[in-house]
Amino acid sequence: MALCAAIGRTICDSVQKYHFGAGRHFWDIPPNWLNSYLTLLAVDGYLYIVAIALAKISLLLFLYRIFQVDKRFRIASWIVGVVLVIWSTVTLFLTIFACRPVKASWNLKLMKDPKTKCHPKAWDTSNIYGFCNIITDFALIVMPLPLVWRMQMNRKKKFGIAVVFASGFL
């Protein structure tokens, strides 16, 4: 499912670039393209949140399946999973319903209307979501490491497995 959302993002990005002027100077984009561009930008943002959340849930379920024998790991997995689902859902709704009316998120005419209210600002939501992503990334990388070090194998193999898990930092 994460792959489907990622493919959807790729399609939105491609259409933005090749049909609606992404990558050009703003003043070089014909005005009749702007609403379509902004619509694709909004959909791209929604799919980004969904793709990241589903990819992390997939990784978390994979780790849960491997290390399910350890009770502390199961509890930590549930906590990280619940935080991830709740925060991604909240972020998705904050992004979708940031503007009143909702259509103002991708309609330039409504965006400039003085009656339109947009809170929180898109960059605030993105920054907070990015911060939460860093925390959950760190948790997903660090969680299996103590279990790897307790495995019955030589240090060289333990180190190799730990490096594979820690490569998520890259």
Side-chain angles (χ1 to χ4, degrees):
M1 292 182 60
L3 180 61
C4 292
I7 290 170
R9 286 198 69 224
T10 303
I11 291 169
C12 284
D13 288 344
S14 297
V15 172
Q16 281 176 316
K17 287 178 184 140
Y18 297 110
H19 293 290
F20 297 114
R24 295 182 187 182
H25 292 289
F26 188 74
W27 52 83
D28 291 338
I29 299 173
N32 60 335
W33 287 7
L34 286 176
N35 283 341
S36 299
Y37 175 78
L38 291 172
T39 302
L40 287 170
L41 190 64
V43 170
D44 185 44
Y46 308 150
L47 288 174
Y48 171 77
I49 295 167
V50 172
I52 295 292
L54 290 175
K56 287 184 181 187
I57 290 168
S58 175
L59 178 61
L60 188 63
L61 290 172
F62 175 70
L63 292 173
Y64 186 86
R65 186 172 178 202
I66 293 173
F67 298 112
Q68 66 185 342
V69 294
D70 188 75
K71 185 177 181 177
R72 287 183 289 177
F73 186 83
R74 287 194 315 259
I75 292 169
S77 295
W78 275 100
I79 291 169
V80 170
V82 167
V83 166
L84 184 63
V85 168
I86 289 172
W87 184 246
S88 296
T89 304
V90 166
T91 303
L92 183 63
F93 281 107
L94 280 174
T95 305
I96 292 171
F97 299 108
C99 292
R100 289 191 188 114
V102 173
K103 197 174 182 178
S105 294
W106 59 83
N107 187 309
L108 196 59
K109 186 176 179 182
L110 285 174
M111 205 180 287
K112 291 182 177 186
D113 188 351
K115 296 177 187 173
T116 298
K117 302 288 183 219
C118 291
H119 296 287
K121 298 295 183 195
W123 56 84
D124 293 339
T125 306
S126 297
N127 287 339
I128 294 168
Y129 187 64
F131 178 73
C132 189
N133 273 338
I134 292 169
I135 291 171
T136 54
D137 286 349
F138 184 75
L140 288 171
I141 290 166
V142 170
M143 280 174 37
L145 293 180
L147 298 172
V148 169
W149 287 113
R150 283 191 264 157
M151 290 180 170
Q152 296 178 1
M153 61 178 73
N154 64 35
R155 283 188 179 178
K156 189 176 182 180
K157 286 183 182 178
K158 287 181 187 180
F159 184 74
I161 292 172
V163 166
V164 168
F165 280 119
S167 68
F169 274 124
L170 301 176

